[in-house]
Amino acid sequence: MTSNANGAGQRRRLISDVAPPADALTRLVAHGDQQFEAFFERVESVELLPKGAPNRVRLRKEQGLAVRKIENGRSRLAAADTISGPAFAACCDRVAGTTRSIGTAPPRIRTGRWPALRLAEIEQAESRLTRAVNRRRVGFPMEITARRHRRQVQVIRSRVAAPPQFEEYFSLQVTTPWGVWGGLLPSLAAEDLDPVALCLVDRLRSRSLPPERPGRGVIVLGPNAAAVLLHEVVAHALEADTLALSGSPDQVVGLKLGGPELDVVDDPRSAPLACKRSSDDEGTAAISRWLLRRGRVRQPLADLAWAERYPSMIPGAGRRASRHRLPGPRTTHLELLPGAIPERELFAEAVGGLYIGEFERGNLDPFDGRCVLRAPCGRRIGATGPSDHTGPVEIRSRAVDLLAAVAAVGDRPLAGGAGWCAKDGALLPVWARCPSVRLEGLEVAD
Amino acid sequence: MKFARLPGTRSLRLALGAVRERTGVPGAELYVKVGNTRRIEIDPWMTPLPVDPDDLDTQVSILDERGWALRAGGANRALFLADSGPLPEPNGWRRLSRHSLRPGTLRLPSPSSGTSPGTAPSAAADLAEHETDDEETAGLALLHGVLRRLGERVPEARLIRGRLDTGASAAVLASTTGVTGRTALRLATVELDFAASRDGRQGHCRLYRAASNLQMLSADSIASEIAERLTLATAPAPPFLPAGEVAVSPALGCYLLALLAPLLQGRDGWRRLREFGAGRPLGPPQLQIVDDGALDAGWMSAAQDDEGVPTRAVGLVRDGEPGEPLLSWEDDGWSGFAAAGCRRRSGWRALPELCHSHLHIGGGSEAPESIRTGIVHGCYLLDRAHDGRCHATFEPSTNGSAGSLAEGRFEVDAIGLVIRRGTVLGEAPRVRLTGTVRQLLQGIRAIGNDLRFLPAPGAVGAPTLLLTGLQVEAIG
């Protein structure tokens, strides 16, 4: 219980001693069908708005806890916006439905210190991004809002306490005269800001071009765009609650969704450095989960509740947007394993086709499996790779057709395509690592 | 069960004094909010109806929320800080110093800008502890009632997800300018998601309704609304669509009005609204569009907004002509218009922003039935189509993105009925209603007297409307 997923050690522990609440939880159990879980959370967000905005620096901190009882598929959760022994005892009473459910004296719960507030790195984001744009010999007005997000989580289930988890990442919103770019970054270092500058310059160069005409052809997706595609048509499609809308979630195991070049893994342990997770938001150990193995479904995403309903499912993908929300099965870090085709060859067989570097939006209809992906711009593929810019592109297709269209997977995976997943209104950061992919026979929508 | 209590304004003043002492700022404001919510979620994932209440997997959450926000600063430096839990004691602000401030500005309303210190309800009235266990039983009974009645009407319906929230919140604020304020709200919302299949045609329906207390939500009327929508959503497409008159229900009217919200806020909205009129009336003489933060029996009714500025009824469109803009205290006196309390916070973590509270279309006198039966050749549109389009644009598109609309146009996907001389000819499971904002407002031919509010977000209200001059086409 002393280790941490990202090696931060003691200084990032949320509560200093997990034994008192763990003991208290065991006193709540009336019979073997009951499970009790305590979730402690601490969140910090620092926001730096563009110059001239009122209250330019906005600091939000919060901490709280939730106690949950799970019994025969039903759950009861009580949450409070403070971490203390009396708040914990009150939550235990609410889920147990009795007073003094854990005894007369509330357990002593002490919290660790908040990590130091480092504002300098956020304040430097604007100048670094401006320099990265200027290096491409362009300049344009930008209003940059930079945010740093930190989250500490500690889950205790009966006597077992999972390792404390700590996540730190950044989000940027860049407003230009021709639109808004937004995304997540593992850091605000130059190497992470450089791809953002590339996206902004691409948008500048395609700003007044008309939407791409409908038609069938070859499309090459860059790592960012491939990540969004896989997030919608593999990760969302294989979440147990989404699968349950159209049948029994465990029946999809073995189903062929794509060609043998598609090996897709969800592995929270290999997320970017400060976002790695060794356990999920229910305290279950995170695993490297084969979602697709050679194009066939291997293991859908499940949390404890779905694993209890379908014993063939493995928990470990339970995520919660906050202590006030129930957990649900979600992806954390999606990886498309590299193929054998060098990037150059990927483009060589796609001359005349379309290159899409990023999708700004994706959506999957869980009922009919239709997916819509929108790119703000694209590039025509010439003899030497992506060349002339094009206007916005929209792809509408069934998820299975999108996966069936993957004809080749590049050999150079890159971290990218990170963003907010907003399923059911619960905002969660998601990460990915993908190579470029070539799609054949897909139609660009009207 | 004890829920969090609000501090008194004296505690807030002491804390403000400590903040000023530590940071040296000329102005500061503290906002404290507490709330409790009981949430019941049922997610049986396509369970057929009627369902035995004992077979439903219910997830109950009891959420106790409390937090505070501090705004401090002056002309050059400012700070916004929000935290959960109770307000720190006066000696709990030790970490604040002059170095906590960053370049920025802060302006706060003063009593002279229309606020009225000391007129707020007492602290005892803030957050009366409601009988939460009784509410849970009543909430479960409501959900079971909806499922049972719907099962009787549409046996092929499948429940995808259901969520019922009941709760209360209270807030108190005080600033160094002398403004104080208190608000207290109570709200119950229900969100239900259903699917049905008829003759191989799939249909979905999502219903989101709100009331100031649980007892005002009726299982029978909710089940009727869902049954109506599922029946329409699974109907075959009509062979033709008449392009004459379009009557829209209060539910769809609310969505149409919500689309116009950017025109009805602030200075920019006012300028655009006047441009849309182009020297002619915006709508028929009976058209009134009002936003009223103090509306009697409104869900969000409060004497003051979240900055302590008194609320009032603002006639945005009066007798079909632009009335007055919705302006915050910062714009008081702009073009001779008076401000109103209209800045709201979405929670204790958020800064106040200009927004409507009870935006609605008034002035209707016709019975909705006479509007519907009076349609010679047209449609009666009941609600938005599930997952369909519903948007409007007021700015020119700079990148010509796919699917975007020309400036000043709107499009809404809806479900409804085809009507000829008052007789229903058939169902329209998915149609697209499009037009310009000017056509929408100027095409209003009749306004019903059945005003109804929906959460959209905030409270948006509309009666049955009869519209002409818009385009209706079948889709899907």
Side-chain angles (χ1 to χ4, degrees):
Chain A
M1 279 188 280
T2 55
S3 67
N4 185 293
N6 32 19
Q10 290 285 343
R11 69 194 164 88
R12 296 227 167 118
R13 296 189 71 166
L14 174 50
I15 56 174
S16 49
D17 186 3
V18 296
D23 288 344
L25 287 181
T26 58
R27 290 200 287 277
L28 286 173
V29 181
H31 53 82
D33 288 342
Q34 291 183 340
Q35 280 191 64
F36 286 89
E37 165 204 279
F39 175 83
F40 298 87
E41 178 188 50
R42 180 180 265 182
V43 179
E44 181 201 274
S45 129
V46 185
E47 185 176 22
L48 183 66
L49 278 86
K51 287 188 182 103
N55 293 104
R56 196 176 162 221
V57 175
R58 298 173 186 183
L59 170 61
R60 297 176 175 93
K61 288 175 164 187
E62 56 183 288
Q63 60 181 19
L65 63 90
V67 176
R68 184 167 62 131
K69 177 175 84 169
I70 310 163
E71 187 178 5
N72 300 327
R74 298 180 183 196
S75 78
R76 200 168 181 83
L77 176 140
D81 279 355
T82 181
I83 296 180
S84 68
F88 176 79
C91 287
C92 289
D93 288 350
R94 284 175 191 164
V95 296
T98 59
T99 53
R100 296 179 182 174
S101 57
I102 55 168
T104 49
R108 193 167 177 194
I109 299 176
R110 297 174 67 180
T111 54
R113 294 176 63 178
W114 288 88
L117 186 72
R118 304 186 315 270
L119 273 179
E121 59 185 342
I122 307 173
E123 287 170 330
Q124 288 163 7
E126 184 173 349
S127 58
R128 283 182 180 166
L129 183 61
T130 306
R131 278 201 300 274
V133 168
N134 294 345
R135 273 200 297 275
R136 290 175 165 79
R137 298 176 190 280
V138 289
F140 44 83
M142 293 188 287
E143 286 192 344
I144 299 168
T145 299
R147 298 181 185 93
R148 187 188 59 218
H149 309 264
R150 285 169 168 170
R151 183 170 181 245
Q152 286 175 283
V153 166
Q154 172 77 67
V155 183
I156 303 168
R157 254 201 347 258
S158 296
R159 284 200 181 279
V160 182
Q165 304 294 308
F166 177 78
E167 295 164 83
E168 180 179 283
Y169 54 93
F170 298 81
S171 62
L172 271 189
Q173 183 179 302
V174 186
T175 305
T176 62
W178 42 89
V180 179
W181 181 94
L184 296 189
L185 302 171
S187 83
L188 293 176
E191 63 266 27
D192 286 317
L193 288 173
D194 211 45
V196 179
L198 184 63
C199 289
L200 293 171
V201 173
D202 276 346
R203 289 185 181 207
L204 164 78
R205 291 187 172 139
S206 62
R207 66 191 183 282
S208 48
L209 297 173
E212 185 65 13
R213 287 177 175 277
R216 193 176 288 272
V218 181
I219 298 173
V220 174
L221 301 182
N224 283 341
V228 176
L229 169 85
L230 293 176
H231 177 81
E232 296 299 335
V233 302
V234 177
H236 275 319
L238 294 183
E239 287 161 353
D241 53 351
T242 305
L243 289 169
L245 294 174
S246 50
S248 179
D250 56 353
Q251 283 177 352
V252 296
V253 175
L255 198 70
K256 189 171 187 297
L257 288 186
E261 55 283 320
L262 280 176
D263 284 322
V264 184
V265 175
D266 180 64
D267 190 356
R269 300 173 309 172
S270 60
L273 188 63
C275 311
K276 289 182 197 294
R277 297 289 303 261
S278 64
S279 64
D280 69 356
D281 287 339
E282 295 180 298
T284 310
I287 56 167
S288 178
R289 185 186 301 261
W290 285 98
L291 298 175
L292 294 184
R293 181 83 170 117
R294 298 187 63 74
R296 288 187 186 276
V297 177
R298 178 64 79 84
Q299 186 57 246
L301 291 156
D303 59 3
L304 280 175
W306 286 101
E308 192 178 295
R309 286 175 203 177
Y310 298 94
S312 64
M313 290 196 167
I314 303 171
R319 298 187 71 187
R320 52 214 297 179
S322 84
R323 57 198 171 276
H324 298 300
R325 301 285 296 251
L326 291 164
R330 299 286 180 274
T331 175
T332 300
H333 179 241
L334 206 59
E335 290 182 77
L336 171 63
L337 302 194
I341 300 176
E343 192 106 338
R344 228 177 317 121
E345 284 181 31
L346 213 58
F347 287 108
E349 292 180 27
V351 175
L354 198 62
Y355 172 76
I356 297 174
E358 56 160 346
F359 286 119
E360 62 183 351
R361 206 176 304 160
N363 182 49
L364 174 76
D365 186 322
F367 296 103
D368 61 12
R370 289 191 176 276
C371 181
V372 181
L373 297 161
R374 279 187 73 177
C377 55
R379 292 180 79 173
R380 191 63 57 199
I381 298 172
T384 55
S387 54
D388 300 338
H389 286 81
T390 72
V393 185
E394 189 166 290
I395 295 174
R396 281 186 225 161
S397 177
R398 292 192 312 150
V400 285
D401 294 339
L402 277 167
L403 288 175
V406 177
V409 177
D411 65 345
R412 201 158 52 94
L414 291 174
W420 295 108
C421 171
K423 186 178 169 183
D424 293 337
L427 274 189
L428 290 168
V430 289
W431 307 94
R433 185 174 177 82
C434 291
S436 298
V437 297
R438 192 173 68 229
L439 309 175
E440 291 179 357
L442 259 191
E443 200 157 338
V444 169
D446 191 356
Chain B
M1 215 57 79
K2 288 281 175 199
F3 285 102
R5 308 293 299 181
L6 277 179
T9 45
R10 186 172 170 273
S11 304
L12 267 66
R13 287 202 188 98
L14 285 173
L16 286 171
V19 168
R20 286 181 77 172
E21 192 181 317
R22 303 269 335 151
T23 59
V25 292
E29 175 207 73
L30 267 168
Y31 174 84
V32 185
K33 189 170 186 180
V34 297
N36 57 71
T37 303
R38 184 155 296 225
R39 176 172 298 156
I40 303 171
E41 290 168 272
I42 42 175
D43 40 18
W45 277 275
M46 310 299 274
T47 301
L49 300 181
V51 61
D52 185 334
D54 292 334
D55 291 341
L56 284 177
D57 286 342
T58 52
Q59 325 293 336
V60 178
S61 303
I62 308 152
L63 313 171
D64 194 359
E65 295 151 89
R66 70 193 302 194
W68 54 268
L70 166 72
R71 290 195 289 167
N76 302 313
R77 296 176 78 74
L79 164 77
F80 174 78
L81 175 63
D83 203 345
S84 60
L87 188 70
E89 296 293 320
N91 63 2
W93 301 92
R94 288 188 303 274
R95 290 193 182 180
L96 278 186
S97 69
R98 288 170 196 277
H99 303 294
S100 308
L101 302 167
R102 288 289 188 279
T105 55
L106 175 70
R107 287 184 64 208
L108 295 169
S110 59
S112 59
S113 55
T115 58
S116 51
T119 58
S122 70
D126 294 337
L127 190 57
E129 284 173 23
H130 49 295
E131 294 300 321
T132 49
D133 291 334
D134 291 349
E135 285 208 340
E136 187 175 326
T137 310
L140 282 169
L142 175 80
L143 292 171
H144 291 153
V146 171
L147 299 182
R148 186 168 50 78
R149 287 172 174 86
L150 184 64
E152 288 161 8
R153 290 175 178 132
V154 190
E156 63 272 23
R158 301 281 185 275
L159 172 64
I160 298 166
R161 208 160 293 171
R163 181 165 140 171
L164 177 83
D165 279 359
T166 54
S169 69
V172 59
L173 75 88
S175 77
T176 51
T177 60
V179 172
T180 57
R182 278 180 186 275
T183 54
L185 297 177
R186 186 174 283 266
L187 194 64
T189 62
V190 62
E191 196 172 0
L192 295 159
D193 214 343
F194 284 90
S197 175
R198 216 164 23 133
D199 302 329
R201 292 182 297 273
Q202 300 284 335
H204 300 108
C205 151
R206 180 172 293 157
L207 204 78
Y208 184 36
R209 297 289 179 262
S212 45
N213 68 60
L214 191 56
Q215 285 65 40
M216 293 172 79
L217 292 170
S218 152
D220 199 46
S221 68
I222 291 172
S224 294
E225 285 193 76
I226 295 166
E228 231 174 3
R229 283 152 179 76
L230 281 178
T231 306
L232 287 177
T234 53
F240 72 97
L241 266 180
E245 302 147 303
V246 179
V248 298
S249 71
L252 190 60
C254 289
Y255 286 114
L256 290 171
L257 181 59
L259 285 182
L260 303 185
L263 290 179
L264 305 169
Q265 290 177 349
R267 297 181 186 197
D268 290 345
W270 179 251
R271 287 193 197 104
R272 282 180 289 197
L273 190 70
R274 291 184 67 89
E275 283 167 17
F276 276 120
R280 294 173 55 200
L282 281 170
Q286 71 269 35
L287 176 65
Q288 320 288 337
I289 301 180
V290 181
D291 183 52
D292 188 354
L295 186 75
D296 281 345
W299 311 324
M300 305 170 67
S301 189
Q304 297 140 340
D305 71 357
D306 290 334
E307 284 189 315
V309 180
T311 53
R312 64 178 175 89
V314 179
L316 303 160
V317 174
R318 282 196 205 109
D319 306 328
E321 303 275 0
E324 60 174 318
L326 185 69
L327 297 176
S328 74
W329 63 271
E330 285 184 294
D331 290 328
D332 190 29
W334 178 76
S335 291
F337 294 112
C342 59
R343 302 234 298 187
R344 306 255 171 202
R345 304 181 197 234
S346 56
W348 55 264
R349 300 170 188 85
L351 281 153
E353 287 184 359
L354 192 146
C355 66
H356 297 111
S357 37
H358 301 97
L359 177 66
H360 61 280
I361 295 176
S365 55
E366 285 200 42
E369 198 51 41
S370 79
I371 293 178
R372 285 194 292 269
T373 53
I375 296 174
V376 179
H377 204 195
C379 297
Y380 173 58
L381 301 182
L382 194 69
D383 205 345
R384 269 186 70 183
H386 178 77
D387 285 345
R389 292 186 186 179
C390 183
H391 52 245
T393 55
F394 303 107
E395 302 287 353
S397 172
T398 49
N399 68 351
S401 58
S404 69
L405 287 168
E407 186 184 358
R409 290 190 70 84
F410 78 95
E411 58 183 13
V412 175
D413 293 350
I415 54 172
L417 298 163
V418 179
I419 293 179
R420 189 171 189 181
R421 297 191 196 288
T423 310
V424 174
L425 290 186
E427 292 103 342
R430 200 175 178 98
V431 299
R432 183 163 294 163
L433 182 68
T434 57
T436 65
V437 172
R438 187 177 296 150
Q439 284 169 336
L440 173 64
L441 290 170
Q442 294 180 345
I444 296 175
R445 290 289 168 269
I447 301 174
N449 58 8
D450 54 340
L451 174 65
R452 185 176 179 192
F453 282 90
L454 290 183
V460 178
T464 299
L465 300 170
L466 181 64
L467 309 170
T468 57
L470 301 173
Q471 293 82 53
V472 185
E473 58 172 330
I475 51 166

